[in-house]
Amino acid sequence: MIQESGLSISSFAPLKRELDRWKVAGQRIAFWFRDDDAITITPELERLLDFQQAYSLPIAIAVIPQQADPQLSQIIQERPELSVLQHGWSHTNYAAKGEWYSEFPAGRPAAEVSGNLNSGKILLEKLFGHQFIFGFVPPWNHFASEYLPLLKNYQFVSGRDYTVARDWRRLPSIPADVDVLRWTPAPHFRGTKRLIREVCGQLRARRKENRKDPVGILLHHLNMDDASWEFMNSLAGVLHGHVAVNLLNIRTADFWEMSAQNIPMRAPAPLAVRACDYVMRAAGDFNAWVQGLLADITLPKPAYAFASVILLGILTGHILGSTASYAQDGLTVSHEIQIDADDTP
């Protein structure tokens, strides 16, 4: 059941319908939760932990090592459902002016990058023990591809689809697909309807492509307001009560299996291109079919003309109907999966 809140239950109806399709197909889909920028115990972190406890949710918390308060380890160790990931080293931007923020942009000395990574890893292992699972989260979701070999001692990397080179398959890549917040011009709640569209789009893509990689929900407890938490309570209520949902504890997961089908969705071709391609293929098929049909029969010329007009009318109707369908699909896809390029932390 959805927890009582100001949100309309109808807002979550599309999500429930999509999950029901998984149920009817006898399949289950995994969800995992990641929270970024943990440093110390704050009222915002306590709110996150209350949320986690209310639904017994397994959450992976990305901790900034250099700033980590030792007291943070105690409160996290009291909750076995929590896991710890390494969120860079200091969360400092080293990117050149005008470039995307990154703690590890191209051009930093490799020895410096390696030192930061190793220092963070050693510190988190000391603070959190087995709850630190050697998962790496690049600050601002960017990590230069030239440093990927330095991540060989990690179990996986977690960012967005464009965080790391997709052809570098020596390390599982498990993105957090849906961010609860927008980041421009300042952090704020993304909005219930938009988030539901994004979650449904992720589910629909996996169902149609027969993918089983988990859907990642990304939180930032320090920046979340009441509306954000209201949404998260409602979302958790829907997911927690649905038989087709597996709330994944990432610490016990098979990382390679999780990332095996984690392939970014290709952007659909423009509608005009797809429609023209369809018309050309249909016209070629129609021409070949007519020639084959008439090859073995002899009719008066008026009959040939009449038959051609009838068949052409049928083909035209089919093309118009298919083009309309393509248009509807194109509008739906672009509406549901479009995410602004500058709308990430």
Side-chain angles (χ1 to χ4, degrees):
M1 294 292 293
I2 299 178
Q3 183 173 337
E4 290 186 9
S5 70
L7 294 180
S8 169
I9 292 179
S10 63
S11 300
F12 288 80
L15 175 59
K16 297 181 73 174
R17 286 196 299 269
E18 179 59 36
L19 291 173
D20 287 342
R21 295 187 180 99
W22 286 78
K23 175 183 175 181
V24 170
Q27 297 181 325
R28 301 187 77 196
I29 180 65
F31 280 78
W32 77 290
F33 295 81
R34 193 187 98 203
D35 177 79
D36 284 3
D37 302 337
I39 298 172
T40 187
I41 302 172
T42 63
E44 293 84 0
L45 180 67
E46 290 176 341
R47 190 171 189 176
L48 170 73
L49 297 178
D50 288 343
F51 164 73
Q52 180 273 322
Q53 192 170 33
Y55 298 97
S56 299
L57 283 179
I59 299 180
I61 298 182
V63 177
I64 302 172
Q66 188 190 48
Q67 306 174 48
D69 184 343
Q71 291 184 347
L72 182 65
S73 65
Q74 180 178 350
I75 196 170
I76 287 181
Q77 287 173 4
E78 293 173 355
R79 292 165 170 78
E81 298 94 348
L82 299 181
S83 302
V84 173
L85 309 176
Q86 180 178 342
H87 198 22
W89 164 243
S90 63
H91 212 296
T92 302
N93 175 39
Y94 289 97
K97 186 177 180 179
E99 295 184 358
W100 201 281
Y101 280 20
S102 174
E103 185 173 2
F104 304 101
R108 276 195 73 187
E112 187 176 295
V113 172
S114 178
N116 284 177
L117 295 175
N118 290 332
S119 295
K121 186 166 53 180
I122 291 170
L123 180 58
L124 294 182
E125 188 175 21
K126 179 181 179 180
L127 285 177
F128 299 100
H130 71 280
Q131 284 179 289
F132 174 49
I133 55 175
F134 294 87
F136 183 75
V137 178
W140 296 287
N141 289 302
H142 284 264
F143 189 85
S145 59
E146 65 190 76
Y147 304 129
L148 288 174
L150 299 178
L151 298 178
K152 62 184 178 182
N153 293 324
Y154 291 88
Q155 294 198 71
F156 66 95
V157 63
S158 177
R160 298 295 285 267
D161 283 338
Y162 48 78
T163 297
V164 297
R166 305 303 305 187
D167 58 350
W168 196 80
R169 302 304 296 169
R170 284 177 284 173
L171 184 70
S173 181
I174 307 168
D177 306 282
V178 179
D179 193 339
V180 174
L181 300 181
R182 296 192 69 177
W183 294 87
T184 55
H188 62 282
F189 178 51
R190 186 178 290 270
T192 297
K193 291 184 178 180
R194 177 168 181 165
L195 284 169
I196 292 298
R197 286 198 301 268
E198 289 186 21
V199 174
C200 288
Q202 295 290 336
L203 289 169
R204 191 176 301 113
R206 286 159 174 76
R207 180 168 51 82
K208 291 184 176 181
E209 299 169 14
N210 194 29
R211 290 165 47 196
K212 299 296 176 9
D213 51 300
V215 177
I217 307 296
L218 179 58
L219 312 176
H220 288 80
H221 66 274
L222 291 173
N223 303 101
M224 292 172 64
D225 58 10
D226 289 343
S228 305
W229 283 116
E230 189 175 34
F231 171 82
M232 284 307 305
N233 276 291
S234 297
L235 176 65
V238 171
L239 299 181
H240 194 273
H242 203 287
V243 297
V245 173
N246 172 29
L247 298 175
L248 182 67
N249 187 332
I250 200 168
R251 194 162 71 246
T252 62
D254 182 330
F255 302 118
W256 279 111
E257 183 179 358
M258 286 176 66
S259 68
Q261 292 183 302
N262 179 21
I263 303 170
M265 293 168 54
R266 289 180 296 179
L271 175 61
V273 174
R274 288 184 288 153
C276 288
D277 179 67
Y278 179 82
V279 169
M280 294 298 293
R281 286 187 286 109
D285 293 342
F286 172 73
N287 183 54
W289 179 70
V290 170
Q291 289 185 3
L293 178 67
L294 302 179
D296 299 324
I297 60 176
T298 302
L299 294 173
K301 289 185 178 180
Y304 277 113
F306 180 74
S308 297
V309 169
I310 294 298
L311 293 173
L312 183 60
I314 294 173
L315 175 64
T316 301
H318 183 62
I319 290 174
L320 291 175
S322 298
T323 302
S325 177
Y326 271 125
Q328 182 62 40
D329 288 348
L331 290 173
T332 300
V333 169
S334 62
H335 185 58
E336 291 183 346
I337 69 172
Q338 180 180 2
I339 299 176
D340 299 333
D342 63 345
D343 190 26
T344 53

